[in-house]
Amino acid sequence: MGHGGGGVMSAELVDHVFAPAFGGPLLAGLGDSAVLELGGARLAFSTDSFVVRPLFFPGGSIADLAVNGTVNDLAMSGARAAYLSCGFILEEGLELSVLGRLAEALGAAARAAGVEVATGDTKVVEAGHGDGLYINTAGIGLLPPGVDLRPQRVVPGDVVIVSGAIGLHGVAIMSVREGLEFGACVESDCAPLGGLVEAMLAVTTDLHVLRDPTRGGLAAALNEIAGAAGVGVVVQERRVPVPAPVAGACAMLGLDPFYVANEGKLVAFVPREHAEAVLAAMRAHPLGAEAAVIGEAVEAHPGMVVARTGLGGTRVVDLPLGEQLPRIC
């Protein structure tokens, strides 16, 4: 299960099994989506599989995740998703009424994201082999001219911005899966980020990198960027927006909000001269109203993420080994 958590074990699986077997310069980038040229057009292409348990949770469902997760992977390359494929793997015994609800939810999520489901597939497996339902989606979208988002463009001095409160999705899943109550209803932040990214790019196409901190949370996203860029990252812990119910749940269970999954947030590394304008554009968008500057890229400790605590100390924010809560997407 640790190999599916988006941390060190996931990276080892990719580095030692998949990358050597597949090879190729496009795969070597290991981004949220691949950027490629076809027929004179620059495209972003991504695929993702969704195995979340339970199928429905506060704020969404596996169907919403299937659409928004793939749309967001494309958005992190600067592309606006245009078309999706959708594969359903159904377990024998799944109620048709449940399947119908999920199909309706997936269609509604696609319309809300401005993307069309253009092709798909269905498979059925024997009872006891499918956990109800799994979904695979792939997406494709066009990149605007001049957009080049990748961690290798990050330089010391870049400002780190997060689009809003972290940890909501993971805690929402935990609350319904484990039957826990945290004093307030916590809903997943599952949402399509294409519109928010467009608002940011309207300010400047010179954004350096975007990443949606899903599995492994904010910590994994920052470590992946720091490692690929060869820079250090310093985060001001108090500036990171953590909702009170998330903080309370994490304190109760001994978890770190930095490692809890999100499904409707992004982290951006922005040149300092554009940071104020980009932040203002994000805050003017409904999905970026709580955007905050949380840190910067630095020359010191390349490849390492450090958080400065409210007490004036520092702590290293490592890449997680596995996943604090498996099966969250």
Side-chain angles (χ1 to χ4, degrees):
M1 292 304 294
H3 284 102
V8 172
M9 294 178 69
S10 291
E12 290 177 347
L13 196 67
V14 172
D15 291 342
H16 299 300
V17 178
F18 298 126
F22 302 155
L26 287 176
L27 183 65
L30 296 179
D32 287 330
S33 59
V35 175
L36 49 93
E37 293 191 12
L38 187 65
R42 292 178 70 230
L43 303 174
F45 180 48
S46 184
T47 187
D48 208 342
S49 298
F50 300 87
V51 298
V52 66
R53 179 172 57 86
L55 299 177
F56 299 92
F57 47 83
S61 69
I62 190 173
D64 299 288
L65 285 179
V67 172
N68 294 334
T70 300
V71 165
N72 292 347
D73 282 348
L74 296 173
M76 297 306 103
S77 294
R80 182 72 181 218
Y83 299 104
L84 294 181
S85 70
C86 182
F88 280 82
I89 301 173
L90 312 176
E91 182 183 11
E92 178 188 12
L94 178 72
E95 296 89 346
L96 287 177
S97 59
V98 172
L99 179 59
R101 287 175 61 195
L102 291 170
E104 290 291 335
L106 194 145
R111 289 188 291 273
V115 66
E116 181 177 352
V117 179
T119 187
D121 182 53
T122 303
K123 294 292 188 294
V124 178
V125 298
E126 296 87 348
H129 293 273
D131 208 16
L133 176 146
Y134 301 144
I135 301 177
N136 172 270
T137 48
I140 193 165
L142 281 171
L143 266 79
V147 174
D148 182 18
L149 301 176
R150 49 193 173 89
Q152 291 77 14
R153 296 192 64 219
V154 172
V155 296
D158 280 359
V159 173
V160 182
I161 303 174
V162 68
S163 64
I166 66 168
L168 291 165
H169 178 70
V171 171
I173 295 293
M174 191 187 322
S175 67
V176 67
R177 184 186 297 175
E178 307 299 337
L180 301 175
E181 295 184 3
F182 304 116
C185 180
V186 179
E187 292 192 354
S188 170
D189 58 346
C190 183
L193 296 171
L196 176 61
V197 172
E198 286 187 351
M200 298 167 68
L201 291 172
V203 174
T204 176
T205 57
D206 189 29
L207 306 178
H208 283 170
V209 70
L210 303 177
R211 191 63 57 92
D212 57 336
T214 53
R215 294 180 304 169
L218 181 63
L222 293 176
N223 273 278
E224 289 167 3
I225 293 169
V231 302
V233 176
V234 175
V235 175
Q236 302 296 330
E237 198 168 60
R238 282 188 169 180
R239 295 184 183 177
V240 179
V242 180
V246 171
C250 289
M252 180 189 305
L253 299 169
L255 303 178
D256 186 336
F258 277 41
Y259 294 90
V260 179
N262 312 272
E263 287 293 344
K265 299 297 185 299
L266 64 81
V267 59
F269 282 65
V270 181
R272 187 168 297 276
E273 62 268 26
H274 300 308
E276 186 175 338
V278 170
L279 181 64
M282 294 174 73
R283 288 176 171 172
H285 190 280
L287 295 179
E290 297 179 282
V293 172
I294 62 169
E296 63 179 335
V298 298
E299 291 185 9
H301 50 79
M304 182 182 295
V305 179
V306 171
R308 290 185 177 154
T309 68
L311 298 177
T314 60
R315 66 182 179 99
V316 175
V317 182
D318 287 324
L319 188 67
L321 180 64
E323 174 59 69
Q324 294 183 119
L325 182 69
R327 303 280 300 278
I328 46 79
C329 64

